[in-house]
Amino acid sequence: MAVSSFIPAGRTSLVKKGDMSLQVQTEYAVRPSPRITTTILRSGQVLHKIERSLNRPVESFDEQRTIESGMARQHQDVVDIIQAASVEATMNLTARFAPEVKPEPLTGVAGKISAIPGVRKLYRLDNEGNFIGADLGEQFKTQFSFVFKNLREILGIFAELGGEGVRERGVHEIEQDRLYFVSMGTECYIVLVEADPSVPGYGAAIGEAMRDESE
Protein backbone atom coordinates (compact mmCIF):
# COMPACT_ATOMS: atom_id res chain seq x y z
CA MET A 1 0.00 0.00 0.00
CA ALA A 2 1.36 3.41 -0.94
CA VAL A 3 2.51 5.77 1.81
CA SER A 4 -0.05 8.31 0.63
CA SER A 5 -2.83 5.89 1.58
CA PHE A 6 -2.22 6.54 5.30
CA ILE A 7 -3.83 9.92 5.90
CA PRO A 8 -4.70 10.77 9.54
CA ALA A 9 -8.12 12.37 9.88
CA GLY A 10 -8.18 16.10 10.60
CA ARG A 11 -10.31 18.07 13.06
CA THR A 12 -12.31 21.30 12.90
CA SER A 13 -13.89 23.33 15.72
CA LEU A 14 -15.77 26.62 15.97
CA VAL A 15 -14.93 28.68 19.07
CA LYS A 16 -17.13 31.65 20.11
CA LYS A 17 -15.49 34.61 21.87
CA GLY A 18 -18.19 37.20 22.51
CA ASP A 19 -19.40 38.28 19.08
CA MET A 20 -16.32 36.81 17.44
CA SER A 21 -16.16 33.33 15.86
CA LEU A 22 -12.86 31.54 15.36
CA GLN A 23 -12.39 28.41 13.32
CA VAL A 24 -9.69 25.97 14.45
CA GLN A 25 -8.46 23.37 11.95
CA THR A 26 -5.87 20.66 12.55
CA GLU A 27 -4.57 18.76 9.51
CA TYR A 28 -1.83 16.36 8.46
CA ALA A 29 0.22 17.05 5.33
CA VAL A 30 3.04 15.10 3.74
CA ARG A 31 4.29 17.76 1.28
CA PRO A 32 6.56 19.65 1.12
CA SER A 33 7.51 17.86 4.38
CA PRO A 34 5.50 15.70 6.82
CA ARG A 35 3.82 17.88 9.44
CA ILE A 36 0.76 18.56 11.57
CA THR A 37 -0.66 22.07 11.40
CA THR A 38 -3.32 23.71 13.54
CA THR A 39 -4.67 26.89 11.94
CA ILE A 40 -6.78 29.57 13.64
CA LEU A 41 -8.97 31.60 11.28
CA ARG A 42 -11.40 34.50 11.63
CA SER A 43 -13.80 35.08 8.74
CA GLY A 44 -11.48 33.04 6.54
CA GLN A 45 -8.39 35.06 7.50
CA VAL A 46 -5.51 33.12 9.00
CA LEU A 47 -4.59 34.56 12.39
CA HIS A 48 -1.97 32.02 13.34
CA LYS A 49 -0.57 28.58 12.63
CA ILE A 50 0.92 26.06 15.04
CA GLU A 51 3.03 23.66 13.04
CA ARG A 52 4.79 20.50 14.20
CA SER A 53 7.20 18.69 11.90
CA LEU A 54 7.28 14.90 11.72
CA ASN A 55 10.41 12.84 11.14
CA ARG A 56 8.81 10.96 8.25
CA PRO A 57 5.45 10.31 6.57
CA VAL A 58 2.90 8.01 8.18
CA GLU A 59 3.65 4.51 6.92
CA SER A 60 1.21 2.17 8.69
CA PHE A 61 -2.24 2.01 10.26
CA ASP A 62 -0.66 1.86 13.73
CA GLU A 63 1.30 5.05 13.04
CA GLN A 64 -1.84 6.65 11.60
CA ARG A 65 -3.74 5.96 14.84
CA THR A 66 -0.85 7.32 16.93
CA ILE A 67 -0.65 10.51 14.87
CA GLU A 68 -4.43 10.96 14.98
CA SER A 69 -4.32 10.74 18.78
CA GLY A 70 -1.59 13.38 18.85
CA MET A 71 -3.52 15.59 16.44
CA ALA A 72 -6.61 15.39 18.66
CA ARG A 73 -4.60 16.48 21.71
CA GLN A 74 -2.89 19.33 19.84
CA HIS A 75 -6.24 20.50 18.48
CA GLN A 76 -7.93 20.40 21.89
CA ASP A 77 -5.00 22.17 23.56
CA VAL A 78 -5.38 25.09 21.15
CA VAL A 79 -9.17 25.19 21.60
CA ASP A 80 -8.79 25.13 25.41
CA ILE A 81 -6.32 28.02 25.40
CA ILE A 82 -8.56 30.13 23.17
CA GLN A 83 -11.61 29.42 25.35
CA ALA A 84 -9.72 30.35 28.53
CA ALA A 85 -8.35 33.63 27.16
CA SER A 86 -10.11 36.99 27.14
CA VAL A 87 -11.29 38.45 23.84
CA GLU A 88 -8.36 40.92 23.92
CA ALA A 89 -5.84 38.16 24.62
CA THR A 90 -7.38 35.98 21.94
CA MET A 91 -6.63 38.60 19.31
CA ASN A 92 -2.96 38.52 20.31
CA LEU A 93 -2.53 34.99 19.07
CA THR A 94 1.04 35.52 17.96
CA ALA A 95 2.14 35.98 21.55
CA ARG A 96 -0.17 33.26 22.89
CA PHE A 97 0.97 30.65 20.36
CA ALA A 98 4.61 31.57 19.97
CA PRO A 99 6.62 29.06 17.92
CA GLU A 100 8.01 26.32 20.11
CA VAL A 101 11.70 26.99 19.76
CA LYS A 102 14.32 26.60 22.45
CA PRO A 103 15.87 30.00 23.28
CA GLU A 104 19.25 28.40 23.89
CA PRO A 105 20.73 24.91 23.50
CA LEU A 106 19.97 22.65 26.44
CA THR A 107 22.86 20.72 27.94
CA GLY A 108 23.31 17.77 30.27
CA VAL A 109 20.27 15.63 31.06
CA ALA A 110 17.86 18.31 29.79
CA GLY A 111 19.65 18.37 26.45
CA LYS A 112 19.49 14.59 26.11
CA ILE A 113 15.80 14.52 27.02
CA SER A 114 14.98 17.31 24.55
CA ALA A 115 16.73 15.31 21.81
CA ILE A 116 14.36 12.34 22.22
CA PRO A 117 12.07 12.20 19.14
CA GLY A 118 8.64 13.62 19.95
CA VAL A 119 9.70 15.74 22.94
CA ARG A 120 8.11 19.14 22.32
CA LYS A 121 8.97 21.20 25.38
CA LEU A 122 10.64 21.11 28.79
CA TYR A 123 9.15 23.19 31.61
CA ARG A 124 11.81 23.87 34.23
CA LEU A 125 10.92 24.06 37.93
CA ASP A 126 12.76 24.40 41.20
CA ASN A 127 12.34 21.76 43.90
CA GLU A 128 9.47 23.71 45.45
CA GLY A 129 7.41 23.50 42.26
CA ASN A 130 7.98 27.09 41.10
CA PHE A 131 8.32 27.49 37.34
CA ILE A 132 11.56 29.08 36.20
CA GLY A 133 10.23 31.59 33.69
CA ALA A 134 6.94 33.37 34.45
CA ASP A 135 5.66 33.07 30.88
CA LEU A 136 6.15 29.29 30.87
CA GLY A 137 4.38 28.98 34.21
CA GLU A 138 1.32 30.87 33.02
CA GLN A 139 1.27 28.93 29.76
CA PHE A 140 1.43 25.61 31.61
CA LYS A 141 -1.25 26.71 34.11
CA THR A 142 -3.61 27.57 31.25
CA GLN A 143 -2.98 24.45 29.21
CA PHE A 144 -2.70 21.89 32.03
CA SER A 145 -4.74 23.34 34.89
CA PHE A 146 -5.48 19.99 36.56
CA VAL A 147 -1.80 19.04 36.70
CA PHE A 148 -0.90 22.53 37.93
CA LYS A 149 -3.37 22.23 40.82
CA ASN A 150 -1.85 18.88 41.83
CA LEU A 151 1.80 19.83 41.39
CA ARG A 152 2.60 19.58 45.10
CA GLU A 153 1.39 15.98 45.19
CA ILE A 154 3.51 15.13 42.16
CA LEU A 155 6.56 16.73 43.77
CA GLY A 156 6.00 14.56 46.84
CA ILE A 157 6.53 11.40 44.81
CA PHE A 158 10.27 12.11 45.03
CA ALA A 159 11.32 12.43 48.67
CA GLU A 160 13.52 15.23 49.96
CA LEU A 161 16.97 13.94 50.88
CA GLY A 162 19.31 15.00 53.68
CA GLY A 163 20.95 17.75 51.65
CA GLU A 164 18.97 20.99 51.60
CA GLY A 165 17.04 21.49 48.39
CA VAL A 166 17.76 17.99 47.04
CA ARG A 167 15.21 15.35 46.03
CA GLU A 168 15.36 11.79 44.80
CA ARG A 169 16.04 11.45 41.09
CA GLY A 170 13.45 9.77 38.92
CA VAL A 171 10.71 9.89 36.29
CA HIS A 172 6.96 9.89 36.93
CA GLU A 173 4.43 9.39 34.14
CA ILE A 174 1.66 11.98 34.53
CA GLU A 175 -0.09 11.08 31.28
CA GLN A 176 1.16 8.32 29.00
CA ASP A 177 2.94 9.55 25.88
CA ARG A 178 2.16 13.15 26.78
CA LEU A 179 3.40 14.48 30.16
CA TYR A 180 6.27 13.30 32.35
CA PHE A 181 7.63 14.72 35.59
CA VAL A 182 11.39 14.45 35.99
CA SER A 183 13.28 15.03 39.22
CA MET A 184 16.97 15.66 38.60
CA GLY A 185 17.92 16.05 42.24
CA THR A 186 18.40 19.80 42.50
CA GLU A 187 15.69 20.83 40.01
CA CYS A 188 12.78 19.36 38.09
CA TYR A 189 11.29 19.32 34.60
CA ILE A 190 7.89 18.61 33.16
CA VAL A 191 8.35 17.07 29.73
CA LEU A 192 5.66 17.62 27.10
CA VAL A 193 5.59 14.86 24.49
CA GLU A 194 3.83 14.32 21.17
CA ALA A 195 4.15 10.57 20.68
CA ASP A 196 6.60 9.51 17.97
CA PRO A 197 6.24 5.93 16.66
CA SER A 198 10.02 5.45 16.84
CA VAL A 199 9.97 5.71 20.67
CA PRO A 200 8.50 2.58 22.32
CA GLY A 201 8.24 4.17 25.77
CA TYR A 202 9.00 7.72 26.89
CA GLY A 203 9.40 6.89 30.57
CA ALA A 204 12.16 4.42 29.71
CA ALA A 205 13.76 6.79 27.19
CA ILE A 206 13.89 9.66 29.70
CA GLY A 207 15.22 7.31 32.38
CA GLU A 208 17.96 6.17 30.01
CA ALA A 209 18.98 9.78 29.35
CA MET A 210 19.29 10.32 33.10
CA ARG A 211 21.33 7.14 33.58
CA ASP A 212 23.71 8.07 30.76
CA GLU A 213 24.43 11.40 32.45
CA SER A 214 25.20 9.82 35.82
CA GLU A 215 27.67 7.27 34.43
Side-chain angles (χ1 to χ4, degrees):
M1 187 177 289
V3 171
S4 59
S5 298
F6 301 103
I7 306 297
R11 289 184 171 247
T12 300
S13 297
L14 186 66
V15 183
K16 295 282 190 178
K17 299 294 297 184
D19 296 331
M20 178 173 63
S21 296
L22 297 178
Q23 187 175 18
V24 181
Q25 297 178 340
T26 300
E27 301 170 305
Y28 165 84
V30 69
R31 294 184 178 84
S33 60
R35 65 196 185 279
I36 295 171
T37 304
T38 298
T39 307
I40 302 100
L41 307 99
R42 181 188 183 192
S43 301
Q45 178 184 1
V46 175
L47 297 181
H48 200 74
K49 287 187 177 183
I50 300 94
E51 191 166 275
R52 181 170 64 87
S53 298
L54 302 176
N55 292 332
R56 54 186 171 81
V58 177
E59 299 176 347
S60 71
F61 283 119
D62 285 342
E63 289 184 6
Q64 179 175 322
R65 285 193 292 268
T66 298
I67 293 299
E68 283 177 343
S69 177
M71 290 172 66
R73 288 198 297 263
Q74 176 172 313
H75 184 86
Q76 191 59 48
D77 286 346
V78 173
V79 170
D80 288 346
I81 290 175
I82 293 174
Q83 290 176 331
S86 65
V87 173
E88 292 76 17
T90 300
M91 293 306 296
N92 189 18
L93 293 176
T94 300
R96 175 70 65 167
F97 298 106
E100 293 189 11
V101 295
K102 300 176 180 66
E104 59 184 39
L106 296 173
T107 59
V109 176
K112 292 185 177 183
I113 293 174
S114 69
I116 298 171
V119 170
R120 291 175 56 192
K121 183 177 293 185
L122 272 66
Y123 296 90
R124 187 182 175 196
L125 305 87
D126 63 23
N127 272 349
E128 299 301 317
N130 301 307
F131 283 82
I132 300 175
D135 292 344
L136 286 181
E138 285 302 313
Q139 183 184 95
F140 186 88
K141 182 178 179 180
T142 300
Q143 192 168 356
F144 304 104
S145 58
F146 178 79
V147 176
F148 186 85
K149 291 176 183 177
N150 293 276
L151 200 50
R152 296 295 176 185
E153 287 79 2
I154 295 172
L155 275 169
I157 293 171
F158 301 102
E160 295 184 21
L161 302 178
E164 184 178 353
V166 178
R167 289 185 182 273
E168 291 178 326
R169 288 166 58 91
V171 182
H172 171 68
E173 180 183 88
I174 301 174
E175 184 177 337
Q176 184 178 8
D177 289 342
R178 194 186 192 200
L179 281 179
Y180 293 82
F181 183 83
V182 180
S183 173
M184 296 185 180
T186 57
E187 63 181 7
C188 306
Y189 283 87
I190 294 178
V191 183
L192 175 61
V193 165
E194 194 72 61
D196 187 296
S198 67
V199 181
Y202 280 94
I206 293 170
E208 188 64 33
M210 295 176 71
R211 282 191 293 273
D212 288 346
E213 186 69 14
S214 62
E215 292 176 354

